[in-house]
Amino acid sequence: MRTAPTILHLDMDAFFASAEQASKPSLRGKAVVVGGLGPRGVVATASYEARVFGVHSAMPMAQARRLAPNAAYLVPRFTLYREISEQVMGLLRALSPLVEPLSLDEAFVDLEAGEAAWDEASARLAGAKLRVDIRTVTGLTGSVGLAGSKMLAKIASEQAKPDGLVVIEPGTERALLGPMSVRTLPGVGPATGDHLRRAGITTVDEIAEAGEDELVRLLGKAHGHALYAMALAHDERPVVAERETKSVSVEDTYDVDIHDRMRVGLEVQRLADRCVRRLRDAGLSGRTIVLKVRRYDFSTLTRSETLRGPTDDPGVVREAAARLLEAVDTTGGVRLLGVGVSGLADYTQEDLFAQAQAQAQAQAQAEAAAGEAAVPEHSDEEGAQDTVPEQVPPAERRWPAGHDVRHAEYGHGWVQGSGLGRVTVRFETPYSEPGRVRTFRTDDVALELADPLPLVRGTVCDRRGG
C-alpha cells in the first residue's frame, strides 16, 4: 500500500435519479425512482429523497411503490446517462492515464501515475478540483474518496456521500477499519457474511483476531488469504486501465409473458436494431450474434452464430437473430429476450450484407419450392387466398415515463405517464422553471419522442444532436 493517498475513487451521487432531477425542474428536491416500471421491474437508482422511505437499488419496484407511493417513477434514459458518463470519464483521464471504470458512475484513478498528486495535500487538491469540474461540466455531484489503496479509497467515497470528499491518511487505516462490518470488505457478500457471522465474526477487527489459518479453514485458501490481508488494510491491487469492450447487447424483460410466436419474432428484430445502433455509436462491429431467451419457467437459453467477418449491418444481425430464434422452443411463453454481438472489431466485412442477402434468397427459393410442391394441381382462387398471411397491425407508439418528447406547438417536454390512449406531458427543460402539464392522444401527430437535452448549456448530451 502506498504511503500517500493517491488512489482516488469517484462515485456519482444517485446517478440516474440525479440526472433526472437535473433534467426536470419540477422533480428537484422530490423523491425520484428510476427502473423498470412493470410488475417485474426493479429499482436501478433512487434519489436521496426516496431513500428516506427505505427505497434502494435492486429492490422490486412493487415494493418501492408501497414504500413511496408519491414518488416519481421513471424509465431509465441510458442515452443521457452514457453521455454524462463519457464527460466524467474524460475529466478522470485528464488526471491520469490509469483510469479503471467500474460502471457508468464509478471509477478508480491512480493520481500518482498521472503526476496529479504525490502527497496528501496535492491529492486533496486534485479531488476538490475534480468535484468542481464535474459539477461545472455535468451539473451533477460526485463523492470522492482518497487513500493509499483501492479498497480504502472506495470506503472513503462511501463515507463522503453525498457530495463530499474524504481522505484516509496513511497510518490510520487499521483504526478506521476495525469496528466496521465484515461486509465492508470487497468480496464479502451476503453468503460469506452469513458464514462468518455463524462463526462469530461480524467486524473487521474480529477477522484479524481470528487469524489467517481460521479464515482459510472457513472460506478456502484463496478467499481466506485475501480477506485476512484486507482486514489488516493490505490491498495491493493496482488500478487497471479500461479494458476493451468484449460484447454489446440489449435485452428486455416483459411485464407479461409473450406467447405469440410472431410477436416474439418482432421483438427479436427490434432488439437486433437497438443492438446495432449501440454498436455503431461505439464505432464497433462484431462477428458473433447471440440470442438470449428466458422462458416462462425461468430457464434461460443462449444461442449464437459466428459470421465470416465482423459487421454492424442491421440486416445481417436481424437475419442471424431470426435464424437463432428458429431453433428455440418458446412454447409456454417468454419473459425476457436479448440480442448481443461479440467478437468485436473496429471495422466491418463489406461482403457480409451480400452474404445475408444470398442466404435470405436461398431460403426464400427453398420455401417457394416447398410451397409449389404443396399446392394442389387444381387449386381455385378462393383456396389460394386462404394461404395469404394475416397483416400485422402497426404497433401503438410507446411513451415511456420520463422520456423526452417534442410537440410542434409547445416545444420540449417529458412524459409523466400514459394509458387509455392518452399521454400526459410536462413541458420544461433543464434550464426552465417547472413547466405546465398537458394531455394528448397517444397518436397525436404533433407529438414525437425527442433526444435528451444537455443538463448544462453549451455541452453535448447526444451524438445525434439532441
Side-chain angles (χ1 to χ4, degrees):
M1 189 165 61
R2 304 181 187 207
T3 57
T6 55
I7 300 296
L8 181 149
H9 181 261
L10 170 71
D11 198 348
M12 299 294 289
D13 299 320
F15 182 43
F16 296 173
S18 294
E20 297 300 342
Q21 289 175 317
S23 178
K24 302 171 172 63
S26 58
L27 296 184
R28 292 170 190 170
K30 297 183 180 179
V32 174
V33 181
V34 180
L37 301 190
R40 295 170 178 164
V42 297
V43 175
T45 310
S47 69
Y48 287 100
E49 295 85 355
R51 295 180 191 187
V52 171
F53 299 99
V55 180
H56 58 77
S57 299
M59 171 181 285
M61 190 61 77
Q63 182 181 356
R65 288 185 183 276
R66 289 193 294 269
L67 293 172
N70 296 321
Y73 289 87
L74 308 176
V75 176
R77 294 187 296 161
F78 286 108
T79 297
L80 174 65
Y81 309 150
R82 288 191 191 95
E83 293 294 338
I84 298 172
S85 176
E86 288 179 8
Q87 292 174 327
V88 172
M89 297 302 166
L91 293 173
L92 298 183
R93 293 187 187 98
L95 287 174
S96 172
L98 289 184
V99 176
E100 183 178 345
L102 303 179
S103 61
L104 289 176
D105 60 341
E106 186 180 2
F108 286 111
V109 184
D110 187 329
L111 296 177
E112 190 175 32
E115 299 182 351
W118 49 90
D119 58 14
E120 181 185 342
S122 58
R124 190 183 292 272
L125 184 64
K129 183 179 184 302
L130 174 65
R131 291 178 57 236
V132 172
D133 289 345
I134 288 173
R135 186 187 288 272
T136 301
V137 171
T138 71
L140 304 181
T141 64
S143 296
V144 171
L146 289 156
S149 70
K150 290 168 70 172
M151 176 186 73
L152 291 166
K154 184 172 175 61
I155 291 172
S157 69
E158 286 296 322
Q159 293 182 329
K161 283 184 168 294
D163 190 21
L165 183 150
V166 168
V167 180
I168 297 179
E169 299 178 13
T172 67
E173 300 91 352
R174 289 288 303 277
L176 174 76
L177 283 176
M180 291 184 173
S181 165
V182 295
R183 291 289 304 277
T184 304
L185 300 180
V188 181
T192 301
D194 287 343
H195 194 49
L196 291 171
R197 180 180 52 79
R198 288 194 294 270
I201 300 172
T202 59
T203 68
V204 176
D205 262 346
E206 289 169 346
I207 289 178
E209 291 168 4
E212 189 170 16
D213 291 343
E214 177 65 6
L215 289 171
V216 168
R217 186 186 69 81
L218 288 171
L219 304 175
K221 187 174 181 180
H223 200 180
H225 283 313
L227 202 57
Y228 181 70
M230 288 185 178
L232 299 181
H234 297 159
D235 178 17
E236 302 299 332
R237 295 175 300 160
V239 175
V240 180
E242 184 174 5
R243 299 176 177 86
E244 291 185 9
T245 302
K246 294 184 178 180
S247 65
V248 172
S249 63
V250 296
E251 61 182 44
D252 278 344
T253 300
Y254 302 98
D255 297 340
V256 179
D257 292 346
I258 302 176
H259 292 83
D260 181 73
R261 182 75 177 185
M262 181 176 291
R263 167 85 188 283
V264 173
L266 291 173
E267 289 294 322
V268 167
Q269 299 296 287
R270 184 177 61 81
L271 289 166
D273 287 341
R274 280 174 51 197
C275 184
V276 168
R277 285 198 297 273
R278 188 171 294 182
L279 264 182
R280 289 182 168 181
D281 284 347
L284 297 170
S285 59
R287 296 183 64 231
T288 301
I289 315 302
V290 181
L291 175 71
K292 178 180 177 181
V293 180
R294 180 166 297 148
R295 298 187 292 191
Y296 69 98
D297 58 357
F298 287 90
S299 61
T300 302
L301 303 177
T302 303
R303 300 288 183 267
S304 64
E305 175 181 320
T306 299
L307 307 172
R308 290 188 298 172
T311 185
D312 65 351
D313 190 291
V316 175
V317 177
R318 281 197 301 265
E319 289 284 346
R323 288 194 296 274
L324 293 170
L325 179 62
E326 291 174 0
V328 177
D329 180 11
T330 59
T331 305
V334 169
R335 59 184 292 120
L336 177 147
L337 289 168
V339 174
V341 178
S342 61
L344 301 182
D346 56 3
Y347 67 95
T348 59
Q349 191 79 20
E350 296 298 334
D351 68 343
L352 277 178
F353 187 60
Q355 173 190 346
Q357 286 181 316
Q359 291 173 335
Q361 184 176 5
Q363 183 175 353
Q365 290 173 344
E367 290 174 352
E372 290 173 2
V375 173
E377 185 175 352
H378 302 288
S379 61
D380 57 22
E381 185 176 351
E382 182 178 351
Q385 288 176 348
D386 292 338
T387 65
V388 176
E390 181 181 353
Q391 295 296 313
V392 180
E396 183 180 356
R397 286 199 292 174
R398 299 173 61 191
W399 302 99
H403 280 226
D404 299 83
V405 295
R406 178 170 292 279
H407 191 275
E409 179 180 354
Y410 301 110
H412 193 93
W414 58 277
V415 176
Q416 279 201 322
S418 63
L420 302 177
R422 296 287 186 269
V423 54
T424 301
V425 177
R426 184 180 289 273
F427 289 97
E428 59 186 7
T429 73
Y431 339 112
S432 73
E433 296 296 319
R436 296 186 60 183
V437 175
R438 298 181 183 275
T439 300
F440 308 91
R441 290 174 56 90
T442 54
D443 59 356
D444 191 325
V445 295
L447 189 68
E448 61 182 0
L449 289 172
D451 293 332
L453 295 176
L455 303 186
V456 176
R457 287 186 185 274
T459 63
V460 177
C461 258
D462 192 285
R463 292 188 182 92
R464 295 167 292 177

